[in-house]
């Protein structure tokens, strides 16, 4: 079944400290933004991409899309103050109640097989997210004192894409706006309207580029995929 994908790309990349939007940084001479779009561009099930962009980046992004022959971007919508605002702006342009994915432009390593695994689940349940089991022992800490060790077997690190039936996600966003709730991912908004969210296992390579050291991990992942590591 086909889907559309919302790609929030309107951040400032402050923690990367590159002096510009981190999505314009290049890996193997290709901007991070293009790496992230390519998998959707090449996936026959992807019917269209809605890109949320900072108005200051629009001209540069448009020329990158043209130069890299990205043709599936249906709409460029203005980003908002928070990631959630950017995605809400994009959601308001969706017209049919199909499956909608949300994928951070800052995660360039998602694989098609994982997108399809997620899609299959979202079609059955209405809401599915991709993640990986936590590897580290996790503790809650207050004022530098350990309060408890959390049962690791129940902890997962959550990534994007996250996939939803549009009507469920839209309702969750409307409710969050009404309640002035800001979540750190899309599923947390859906959890608040009591719709069950299913976890799908992805892989540890699907990192988000957040700080400088992530660029070293990114180079290693690219080398591994090219078979030279
Ligand atoms: N994003 C967005 N609109 C915002 C903030 C973030 O569309 N107002 C996007 C980013 O472009 C990124 C994704 O949401 O693709 C995840 O956000 P994050 O990794 O936090 O990126 P930035 O907000 O750019 O980075 P930072 O928080 O370090 O400034
Ligand atoms: Mg941010």
């Amino acid at each position: 079944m086909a889907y559309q994908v919302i790609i929030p790309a309107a951040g400032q990349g402050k923690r990367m400290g590159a002096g510009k939007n981190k999505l314009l940084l290049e890996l193997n001479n290709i901007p991070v933004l293009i790496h992230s779009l390519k998998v959707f561009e090449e996936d026959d099930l992807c019917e269209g991409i809605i890109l949320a962009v900072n108005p200051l980046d629009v001209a540069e992004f448009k020329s990158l899309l043209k130069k890299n022959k990205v043709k599936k971007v249906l709409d460029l919508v203005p980003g908002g103050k928070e990631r959630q605002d950017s995605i809400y702006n994009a959601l308001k342009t969706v017209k049919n109640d199909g499956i909608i994915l949300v994928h951070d432009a800052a995660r360039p390593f998602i694989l098609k097989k994982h997108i399809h695994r997620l899609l299959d689940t979202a079609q059955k349940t209405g809401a599915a997210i991709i993640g990986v089991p936590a590897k580290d022992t996790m503790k809650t800490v207050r004022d530098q004192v350990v309060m408890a060790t959390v049962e690791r077997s129940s902890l997962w690190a959550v990534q994007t894409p996250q996939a939803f039936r549009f009507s469920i996600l839209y309702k969750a966003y409307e409710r969050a706006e009404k309640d002035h709730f800001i979540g750190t991912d899309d599923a947390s908004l859906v959890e608040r309207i009591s719709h069950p969210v299913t976890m799908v296992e992805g892989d540890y390579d699907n990192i988000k580029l957040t700080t400088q050291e992530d660029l070293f991990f990114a180079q290693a992942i690219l080398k591994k995929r090219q078979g030279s590591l």
Side-chain angles (χ1 to χ4, degrees):
M1 195 213 207
Y3 66 91
Q4 290 187 23
V5 60
I6 292 174
I7 310 253
Q12 295 180 45
K14 283 191 191 142
R15 286 169 289 175
M16 185 61 75
K20 59 177 175 181
N21 190 335
K22 63 187 176 184
L23 305 176
L24 298 170
L25 296 176
E26 295 189 347
L27 298 170
N28 281 4
N29 301 317
I30 298 172
V32 170
L33 174 74
I34 301 299
H35 280 281
S36 301
L37 293 175
K38 216 167 178 278
V39 63
F40 296 105
E41 183 70 21
E42 290 169 1
D43 181 5
D44 290 339
L45 292 180
C46 178
E47 283 188 325
I49 300 168
I50 306 163
L51 199 58
V53 184
N54 183 324
L56 297 173
D57 286 333
V58 167
E60 193 159 7
F61 275 35
K62 274 190 176 164
S63 86
L64 277 180
L65 295 178
K66 200 169 170 199
K67 185 173 160 207
N68 290 281
K69 302 186 172 60
V70 177
K71 299 196 177 69
K72 282 193 187 166
V73 175
L74 303 173
D75 232 328
L76 284 184
V77 299
K81 185 166 173 284
E82 305 287 343
R83 175 185 182 278
Q84 191 171 314
D85 302 317
S86 300
I87 294 165
Y88 200 20
N89 287 347
L91 278 173
K92 286 172 183 161
T93 71
V94 176
K95 284 167 197 82
N96 61 333
D97 187 21
I99 296 288
I100 192 95
L101 265 61
V102 180
H103 181 61
D104 287 335
R107 280 190 200 271
F109 299 117
I110 184 67
L111 296 172
K112 194 159 89 174
K113 67 177 180 187
H114 291 127
I115 296 172
H116 288 185
R117 199 181 285 170
L118 183 74
L119 197 60
D120 282 347
T121 310
Q123 270 155 18
K124 292 184 192 117
T125 67
I129 62 178
I130 203 150
V132 285
K135 290 199 247 188
D136 294 322
T137 294
M138 301 289 217
K139 297 182 190 285
T140 51
V141 178
R142 194 181 299 155
D143 297 330
Q144 284 186 302
V145 177
V146 172
M147 309 305 290
T149 302
V150 187
E151 169 64 34
R152 186 174 56 199
S153 62
S154 65
L155 289 178
W156 286 61
V158 173
Q159 307 168 341
T160 68
Q162 301 193 346
F164 309 91
R165 193 171 310 125
F166 169 75
S167 51
I168 295 170
L169 187 61
Y170 198 70
K171 185 176 166 197
Y173 265 76
E174 284 180 318
R175 181 73 61 81
E177 187 190 41
K178 187 167 159 265
D179 299 345
H180 304 289
F181 175 82
I182 304 268
T184 51
D185 73 346
D186 305 284
S188 62
L189 275 50
V190 172
E191 291 154 32
R192 290 182 77 249
I193 61 162
S194 302
H195 188 95
V197 177
T198 310
M199 179 66 84
V200 173
E201 186 159 1
D203 74 31
Y204 292 94
D205 284 0
N206 182 28
I207 61 168
K208 182 160 75 69
L209 305 184
T210 306
T211 54
Q212 283 283 329
E213 61 268 29
D214 294 328
L215 299 176
F216 294 105
F217 300 136
Q219 297 292 356
I221 292 165
L222 279 177
K223 277 197 184 139
K224 183 175 88 172
R225 291 197 176 169
Q226 288 161 353
S228 54
L229 193 75

